[in-house]
Amino acid sequence: MRAVQVFQRRAHQVSRIVREEGVRQLGARALRTAAKRLGADSEVFPVRLEDVRAADITTRRPVTVPPIPADGSLTVNWVSTPPAPGSGGHTTMFRLIQHLESLGHTCRLYLYDVYGSRAADHEPVIRSAYPGFRGQILDVTDGMADAHAVFATAWMTAYPAFNDPCAGKRFYLVQDYEPWFFPVGGLSALAENTYRMGFHGFTAGRFLAEKLRTDMAMPTDWFDFGCDADRYHLKKNTRRDGIVFYARRSAPRRAIEIGLLALDLFAEQHPDITIHTYGEKIGKLGPRHIDHGLITPDQLNDIYNRCYAGLTLSMTNVSLVPHEMLAAGCLPVVNDAQHNRIVLDNDHVRYAPATPHDLARALSDAVTTPDFATVAEAASASVSSRSWDAAGHELEKVLRRELLV
């Protein structure tokens, strides 16, 4: 049965590629796949070139907003890459969507998939991973229905959001400064250009809002990171004997190379401390290393409660991880950078320069902190009042203000 489903999915992908790009492009993709198997660096381009070609960002289409019903309910289209289980960015997006849905608003999810899969192929995974979402799941390439608001949620999704003729004021959920994801070049320029499309930004933290206003003259509002206290919390009578590292080779902005070197230096000074890593499998680092790979939030809370400190590096906007660590009484060790200090704004975070030796020393200081139980309780209490509801309330306030202008 599974083989039949895979075959049907591949057949849909092939037919869609042929329909939209022609047989020649299908052959080109096959060559790229073969080259990749032979070790060549050949990835599928992250945005459809026809979408970039169609987007003349100096030309503004008049903003049309349908009448808002008497009951005040809004319809919001969200353009997203296919959500993956455990993705922090998609998790935050769905938290905001579910808050709007809880208030009686309608949200539709329009998927942007450059690999040729249909929304129907992704829907079972999305419904399983994000069961609170009640809206439709559709293909953005089929066109969007009119809405009061249309949200881009990543730089590549801004192109179809800009090009689509549907009604609705354009907004942009910005969770990171995505031009920094690439070396200076074509991709970084294409990502940066999306901030000049005239959308209204809604950013994860104050740093991004200030950067986009200053550098791009982009109108923005921002929300504070929440913390899922039901998932991440301090557990009583748990013995701490380790540190933890959020390790992801697939996300260069998380600086895994520096982190692993810091762990190596730390282990030399503290051979009795267990080192946990999670995010993706990275291989054995030493006798006291546990390589967890991708794990569930509940498993992660257990690990945090066993650790004195967690190494979490962010060369761009901060991730969700530091607040989750704090909630469990695990002290985050973070690279010292303006974007991290502005967004975190927490006295229990340990900052260090982004060098292996400085980070190793900061981890060492954390594990040797006197009366750690008291420190852990204070760290957990410092984020206990943070809720994702506040971000949802801020989003609805922004939508009402902007749509009633």
Side-chain angles (χ1 to χ4, degrees):
M1 184 63 180
R2 174 64 178 165
V4 172
Q5 290 175 332
V6 171
F7 176 80
Q8 289 175 335
R9 178 171 177 172
R10 293 304 182 199
H12 285 303
Q13 286 180 293
V14 169
S15 64
R16 185 169 180 174
I17 292 166
V18 171
R19 184 176 69 250
E20 295 182 358
E21 303 179 26
V23 175
R24 188 174 180 180
Q25 275 298 314
L26 179 64
R29 285 180 182 238
L31 287 172
R32 286 198 297 269
T33 300
K36 189 174 181 182
R37 285 174 179 166
L38 292 172
D41 183 14
S42 178
E43 298 291 339
V44 174
F45 207 66
V47 62
R48 288 155 49 99
L49 295 180
E50 57 266 40
D51 293 332
V52 178
R53 189 177 186 278
D56 182 357
I57 65 174
T58 62
T59 302
R60 295 284 189 269
R61 185 183 294 115
V63 176
T64 304
V65 178
I68 296 175
D71 64 2
S73 61
L74 303 173
T75 299
V76 184
N77 292 344
W78 296 80
V79 188
S80 172
T81 56
S87 163
H90 288 117
T91 297
T92 298
M93 178 188 75
F94 277 113
R95 282 169 172 154
L96 296 172
I97 288 174
Q98 288 168 212
H99 183 87
L100 292 180
E101 288 183 327
S102 73
L103 298 176
H105 304 302
T106 298
C107 291
R108 309 184 189 110
L109 185 66
Y110 284 92
L111 298 186
Y112 185 68
D113 185 352
V114 296
Y115 294 91
S117 293
R118 306 166 304 164
D121 298 322
H122 295 289
E123 184 162 0
V125 174
I126 295 170
R127 297 294 185 194
S128 174
Y130 305 97
F133 174 59
R134 302 195 297 266
Q136 292 177 283
I137 300 174
L138 306 158
D139 286 295
V140 72
T141 51
D142 292 337
M144 288 190 281
D146 290 345
H148 298 103
V150 177
F151 265 89
T153 59
W155 75 267
M156 62 287 288
T157 70
Y159 285 94
F162 180 87
N163 291 331
D164 196 285
C166 75
K169 182 176 175 66
R170 267 44 177 180
F171 294 85
Y172 199 156
L173 176 62
V174 182
Q175 300 192 60
D176 216 326
Y177 191 72
E178 293 180 301
W180 285 344
F181 289 9
F182 311 103
V184 175
L187 284 175
S188 65
L190 289 176
E192 186 178 284
N193 288 342
T194 64
Y195 303 137
R196 301 188 177 95
M197 289 181 170
F199 297 179
H200 188 101
F202 189 60
T203 75
R206 181 165 58 91
F207 168 77
L208 289 172
E210 292 178 352
K211 182 170 182 61
L212 293 177
R213 279 198 297 262
T214 301
D215 295 356
M216 304 293 171
M218 183 179 180
T220 58
D221 286 275
W222 58 277
F223 62 95
D224 271 325
F225 281 75
C227 186
D228 186 354
D230 291 333
R231 281 266 172 81
Y232 302 99
H233 53 271
L234 197 63
K235 298 176 71 173
K236 299 297 184 184
N237 303 318
T238 300
R239 179 174 174 269
R240 297 181 189 268
D241 62 358
I243 62 168
V244 59
F245 177 42
Y246 174 47
R248 286 187 63 202
R249 286 193 180 92
S250 58
R253 63 191 182 279
R254 304 306 179 206
I256 187 173
E257 307 88 347
I258 295 174
L260 292 179
L261 288 169
L263 293 183
D264 188 46
L265 292 167
F266 173 86
E268 290 179 358
Q269 298 298 316
H270 300 275
D272 56 323
I273 297 290
T274 301
I275 295 176
H276 301 266
T277 59
Y278 75 94
E280 60 188 56
K281 286 286 187 178
I282 63 171
K284 199 68 174 172
L285 299 181
R288 296 298 299 267
H289 172 228
I290 303 175
D291 186 7
H292 295 277
L294 187 63
I295 54 179
T296 67
D298 290 334
Q299 291 171 319
L300 190 53
N301 186 59
D302 289 340
I303 293 170
Y304 287 159
N305 272 274
R306 292 165 54 188
C307 293
Y308 296 101
L311 182 60
T312 170
L313 306 178
S314 292
M315 300 298 145
T316 58
N317 201 40
V318 73
S319 73
L320 302 176
V321 171
H323 286 123
E324 295 168 355
M325 288 179 173
L326 286 167
C330 175
L331 303 183
V333 173
V334 178
N335 54 296
D336 197 352
Q338 180 189 31
H339 56 265
N340 289 331
R341 284 187 178 269
I342 288 176
V343 175
L344 291 173
D345 190 25
N346 186 292
D347 292 339
H348 297 281
V349 175
R350 305 290 181 95
Y351 296 100
T355 76
H357 289 85
D358 286 302
L359 293 167
R361 278 190 285 269
L363 288 167
S364 182
D365 288 344
V367 302
T368 56
T369 299
D371 192 14
F372 192 87
T374 301
V375 173
E377 288 183 5
S380 181
S382 73
V383 295
S384 61
S385 62
R386 284 185 174 269
S387 166
W388 285 107
D389 287 342
H393 285 306
E394 185 65 24
L395 173 57
E396 196 203 26
K397 183 176 76 174
V398 169
L399 287 174
R400 294 212 175 277
R401 185 193 71 215
E402 293 299 314
L403 297 175
L404 293 175
V405 172

